[in-house]
Amino acid sequence: MIVMEEIQGVVREAAKLFADRAAAGKIREKGAYDYVTAVDEAVQHFMQKKLGELYPHIQFMGEEKDNSAIDMNGFVWVLDPVDGTTNLVHDYRNSAISLALMSNKEVILGIVYNPFSDEMYYAQKGKGSFLNGRKIHVSDTKTMEESLISIGTSPYFKEEAEENFKMFSQIFKDCQDIRRCGSASLDLAHVACGRIDGYMENHLKLWDYAAGALIVREAGGEVFSYEGKELPMELDGNVVAGNAMISKILVGKYL
């Protein structure tokens, strides 16, 4: 049996490692504009060890490891140890631990924790979404003119910048304003609690969006692929999220 409070305790303990600025400065480049720090590695090591001790029967998928042997038809933890690594490198203080639990390719538990603001977003399938114990819900905004939209710039795919920013320009002209968070899981959490009305980003990984997608849905929102279909819980995804009205406008008008 999974105990939410127990898992939250592990996440909070791991998040103390975010405060180590020396470790945040130890950077390895995985690809173009794609970095991993000693904090990412330390958080993942801590989480894998603790979750393995508590729930030895559950597999573990982490951003900073080889996941090729994982059977997605079973129970799997899906972890992004630092979602917003570039933010952490620059001490931008807008990064999170994102942890999901999947069963047979379906997310049944999600936690997104920003230690800089001490905000813990969480959900279990069928039980609603919460922020620090308070139930949350997506906004009731109905038009783009009223909406605040967050975008992801897909920084590892700068060859797509011209096409992406053409779309962002149109969205910007139609909505109140746009935001760029730098952490997909926090963008999704902000949709869930109504701080922003919609969010979109392509080329995300499962550990970026698995937990956040459940939190949005349990908060009354919707999450789609760029094609407007139900978002598949696979390794790669293009994500659109928002309340019921804004998510459909984003898919129907701009994609």
Side-chain angles (χ1 to χ4, degrees), residues 27-83:
I27 303 167
R28 173 170 55 84
E29 189 169 332
K30 295 192 290 184
Y33 309 101
D34 187 6
Y35 310 105
V36 58
T37 72
V39 175
D40 297 71
E41 293 170 338
V43 169
Q44 179 161 302
H45 176 76
F46 178 89
M47 293 284 293
Q48 184 171 4
K49 181 175 183 292
K50 288 294 184 180
L51 293 173
E53 291 170 354
L54 291 169
Y55 305 100
H57 62 290
I58 299 179
Q59 303 168 89
F60 182 88
M61 173 186 287
E63 180 176 7
E64 311 305 337
K65 66 182 283 288
D66 177 9
N67 300 297
S68 58
I70 290 176
D71 177 10
M72 295 303 293
N73 293 310
F75 284 93
V76 185
W77 294 113
V78 180
L79 175 74
D80 190 337
V82 180
D83 186 27

Side-chain angles (χ1 to χ4, degrees), residues 62-176:
E63 180 176 7
E64 311 305 337
K65 66 182 283 288
D66 177 9
N67 300 297
S68 58
I70 290 176
D71 177 10
M72 295 303 293
N73 293 310
F75 284 93
V76 185
W77 294 113
V78 180
L79 175 74
D80 190 337
V82 180
D83 186 27
T85 296
T86 303
N87 287 349
L88 186 71
V89 169
H90 290 272
D91 199 22
Y92 193 64
R93 306 179 72 80
N94 205 41
S95 306
I97 293 177
S98 176
L99 178 68
L101 177 61
M102 298 184 67
S103 174
N104 194 25
K105 301 181 182 179
E106 180 181 26
V107 183
I108 59 174
L109 177 151
I111 295 173
V112 174
Y113 179 55
N114 180 353
F116 299 109
S117 61
D118 191 26
E119 291 183 315
M120 177 80 74
Y121 302 84
Y122 56 95
Q124 287 180 273
K125 186 173 173 58
K127 297 184 178 181
S129 291
F130 299 84
L131 166 56
N132 291 349
R134 174 180 61 86
K135 194 163 188 178
I136 56 176
H137 199 275
V138 295
S139 73
D140 58 4
T141 302
K142 294 181 173 58
T143 67
M144 286 296 289
E145 291 80 6
E146 301 172 285
S147 66
L148 185 64
I149 305 297
S150 189
I151 56 147
T153 54
S154 306
Y156 315 148
F157 297 86
K158 294 197 175 184
E159 67 276 12
E160 299 178 10
E162 185 174 351
E163 180 182 354
N164 285 336
F165 277 83
K166 183 178 179 181
M167 176 177 63
F168 299 153
S169 176
Q170 189 58 56
I171 291 171
F172 172 67
K173 291 174 183 177
D174 291 345
C175 70
Q176 281 189 346

Side-chain angles (χ1 to χ4, degrees), residues 129-236:
S129 291
F130 299 84
L131 166 56
N132 291 349
R134 174 180 61 86
K135 194 163 188 178
I136 56 176
H137 199 275
V138 295
S139 73
D140 58 4
T141 302
K142 294 181 173 58
T143 67
M144 286 296 289
E145 291 80 6
E146 301 172 285
S147 66
L148 185 64
I149 305 297
S150 189
I151 56 147
T153 54
S154 306
Y156 315 148
F157 297 86
K158 294 197 175 184
E159 67 276 12
E160 299 178 10
E162 185 174 351
E163 180 182 354
N164 285 336
F165 277 83
K166 183 178 179 181
M167 176 177 63
F168 299 153
S169 176
Q170 189 58 56
I171 291 171
F172 172 67
K173 291 174 183 177
D174 291 345
C175 70
Q176 281 189 346
D177 206 349
I178 59 174
R179 295 291 183 265
R180 165 70 171 135
C181 171
S183 167
S185 64
L186 286 177
D187 272 319
L188 290 164
H190 295 160
V191 169
C193 69
R195 290 179 184 168
I196 58 175
D197 305 294
Y199 160 66
M200 59 196 309
E201 184 165 8
N202 57 359
H203 299 300
L204 293 176
K205 296 295 186 181
L206 182 60
W207 42 76
D208 295 318
Y209 62 81
L214 177 67
I215 294 169
V216 169
R217 286 172 174 152
E218 287 295 316
E222 297 184 342
V223 186
F224 300 117
S225 69
Y226 269 28
E227 294 72 34
K229 299 178 181 178
E230 183 175 347
L231 183 67
M233 288 297 132
E234 298 175 350
L235 186 57
D236 299 287

Side-chain angles (χ1 to χ4, degrees), residues 241-252:
N243 66 31
M245 185 65 70
I246 299 301
S247 59
K248 289 184 176 65
I249 293 173
L250 289 174
V251 169

